Amino acid sequence: MIELILSSAPLIARGLLITLLVSACVLLLGSVIGVGGGLGLLYGGRPLRLVVRFYVDTLRGIPQLVLIFAIFYGFPAIGLQVSAMIAGILALSLFCGAHVAEIVRGAVASIPRGQTDAALGLGLSFRQRLRHVIFPQAVVRILPAWVNTAVEIIKSSSLVSLVSVVDLTMAVQQVVGRTREALLFYAVAAALYFLLNFTLSMAGRRLERRFSHA
Amino acid sequence: MYQFNWRPVFDNFDLLLKGLVLGIGIALLSLAIGSIIGLAAAFCRVHGTRPLKFLAAAYVELVRNIPLLLIIYFVYFGLPLLGLSLFDNTWSFVLALSVYAGAYLAEVFRAGIEAVGKGQIEAARAIGLTRLQVARHVTIPLMFRVALPSLGNTFISLFKDTSVASAIAVPELTYGAIRINVNTWRVIEVYLVVGLMYLAACYAIAALLRQAERRYRVMH
């Protein structure tokens, strides 16, 4: 058994790396979209608010897998060549962005109105208000929800295996196909996903505690 | 330039419609089975002995931190190796989704149980109800009212998660899209229609749930 695991370790390690890469790209891109979208929902003019609201509500009502398939099969049909990995990252980022936008909007909206009024009273510009008053308080409220989203995204990244990206899930499927040791290698994959996500949740909880004391 | 041709999609519309109905059915069934698992896990976590508490927590944390797809593979490809080949692909998926849902619902119900006032339970005990009767007539009904909004959200997520069943060829909506796409290559049309169907179903379910919530709202 040890031998079997050792001989498959390189493939599984590469898969894990791809899972990490995809998740990191999605979280980065999704957070950028989400912060932009959240600010659009909060401070945008009516047309911008409507557009962002439409984006957020649409993306949250469609399964991630459908988004991945739609981009992976749909983009080439309109002449845009995308690799499976890019299609997966794009689809999950759009989904992640919609969630983060809603988190950012909720967090900023929950900051008491008096804070903005006080900042206005001090004569701070819009940018200064965001940077020195709103963001520091919003981050504390965003963080716990963001960590939950990160865990969900790492889990969802397994869906890219269905468009043939060799992530951790696909790597394990390949190893199972070769060795016929399904239970053993599913357990290995489960352990790796669990360690990754559980560590992340724990770190999130810790940060949350630390911020809430400050 | 892409030429739209909607005919192949609407000629095969029954495939999508049947898929949608199957998806909602699977989500409902998994919600029901998951609620039983979740309720048991939640009671173990709140009122159980130490080993039970640990087991329930381990189940919840484990399942919530691994991808649904892996659980599906484990049930569909793994269980038969243990001599458990009782399930076809659809029932394998129902089992996987129920186990997955159970972990999320355990947390929902735990919050619900903890929200039931101590006074309510003491009052019930004082009029001579046994512990089981208290659970059945006081804790569980009150808990359900508290948990209703989260239950609704869980149902919508489960419905969206049924799309992953296409990975093991369960003929739900996403699998319908794959099949139409393979047969006719009307990729844009099919995914637009399927996306809209998911969206419409999600919003219809959400509207129904809001109505139920208004009806069963907890009075303060």
Side-chain angles (χ1 to χ4, degrees), chain A residues 2 24 56 69-70 73-74 77 106 108 112 115 123 129 137 142 151 158 168-169 180 208:
Chain A
I2 304 282
V56 169
F69 283 158
Y73 295 113
V108 173
Q115 297 282 336
R129 236 153 55 219
Q137 299 184 67
I142 290 171
V151 170
S158 68
L168 180 53
T169 302
R180 309 254 145 233
E208 196 185 333

Side-chain angles (χ1 to χ4, degrees), chain A residues 57-58 60-61 63 65-66 69 73-74 77 151-152 155 158 161-162 169 173 182-183 186 190 193-194 197-198, chain B residues 2 61 64-67 69-70 73-74 77 81-82 100 104 160 163 166-167 174 178 187 191 198-199 202-203:
Chain A
D57 287 351
T58 307
R60 298 206 317 167
L65 185 58
V66 173
F69 283 158
Y73 295 113
V151 170
E152 290 305 315
K155 285 163 60 181
S158 68
S161 68
L162 298 176
T169 302
Q173 279 291 72
L183 293 170
Y186 288 148
Y193 276 114
F194 177 79
N197 286 326
F198 196 64
Chain B
Y2 189 83
E61 291 299 337
R64 278 164 57 110
N65 283 308
I66 59 179
L69 187 57
L70 200 60
Y73 286 161
F74 179 79
F77 297 116
L81 298 176
L82 289 173
Y100 188 71
Y104 282 86
K160 282 165 60 190
S163 67
S166 59
T174 306
I178 295 172
V187 49
Y191 280 105
Y198 272 112
L199 209 58
C202 282
Y203 278 95

Side-chain angles (χ1 to χ4, degrees), chain A:
Chain A
M1 193 179 101
I2 304 282
E3 230 170 87
L4 217 55
I5 292 182
L6 281 181
S7 64
S8 315
L11 187 60
I12 293 178
R14 217 171 312 143
L16 181 63
L17 224 59
I18 295 291
T19 290
L20 286 172
L21 180 70
V22 169
S23 306
C25 288
V26 169
L27 283 169
L28 195 71
L29 209 58
S31 297
V32 171
I33 298 173
V35 171
L39 291 180
L41 283 175
L42 287 157
Y43 303 112
R46 214 182 141 75
L48 180 64
R49 273 205 320 267
L50 279 178
V51 169
V52 179
R53 176 49 59 201
F54 177 76
Y55 157 69
V56 169
D57 287 351
T58 307
L59 268 282
R60 298 206 317 167
I62 298 175
Q64 286 131 287
L65 185 58
V66 173
L67 293 173
I68 294 174
F69 283 158
I71 291 185
F72 179 67
Y73 295 113
F75 272 26
I78 52 172
L80 290 165
Q81 293 306 321
V82 284
S83 72
M85 190 145 86
I86 300 292
I89 290 174
L90 220 55
L92 291 177
S93 298
L94 287 173
F95 178 82
C96 177
H99 272 266
V100 174
E102 198 55 40
I103 293 171
V104 169
R105 191 202 56 79
V108 173
S110 75
I111 295 170
R113 172 86 204 152
Q115 297 282 336
T116 304
D117 291 341
L120 276 170
L122 284 172
L124 298 188
S125 69
F126 177 68
R127 235 169 217 225
Q128 288 174 317
R129 236 153 55 219
L130 279 189
R131 193 164 149 216
H132 299 293
V133 181
I134 303 294
F135 268 163
Q137 299 184 67
V139 164
V140 186
R141 297 162 206 236
I142 290 171
L143 208 66
W146 188 87
V147 170
N148 280 342
T149 307
V151 170
E152 290 305 315
I153 289 299
I154 292 175
K155 285 163 60 181
S156 301
S157 75
S158 68
L159 297 177
V160 299
S161 68
L162 298 176
V163 288
S164 77
V165 175
V166 189
D167 73 329
L168 180 53
T169 302
M170 181 61 124
V172 163
Q173 279 291 72
Q174 289 178 347
V175 170
V176 167
R178 213 171 51 199
T179 61
R180 309 254 145 233
E181 288 283 350
L183 293 170
L184 173 66
F185 285 104
Y186 288 148
V188 169
L192 287 172
Y193 276 114
F194 177 79
L195 278 177
L196 201 60
N197 286 326
F198 196 64
T199 321
L200 192 62
S201 322
M202 283 295 139
R205 261 174 244 180
R206 208 176 209 168
L207 273 176
E208 196 185 333
R209 261 205 303 278
R210 200 150 124 205
F211 272 127
S212 60
H213 283 306

Side-chain angles (χ1 to χ4, degrees), chain B residues 153-189:
Chain B
N153 289 339
T154 307
F155 177 59
I156 293 177
S157 322
L158 289 179
F159 169 60
K160 282 165 60 190
D161 286 336
T162 57
S163 67
V164 186
S166 59
I168 54 170
V170 175
E172 46 67 62
L173 184 49
T174 306
Y175 190 66
I178 295 172
R179 277 194 48 194
I180 295 178
N181 187 23
V182 165
N183 290 334
T184 68
W185 208 244
R186 302 320 306 169
V187 49
I188 306 278
E189 292 89 333

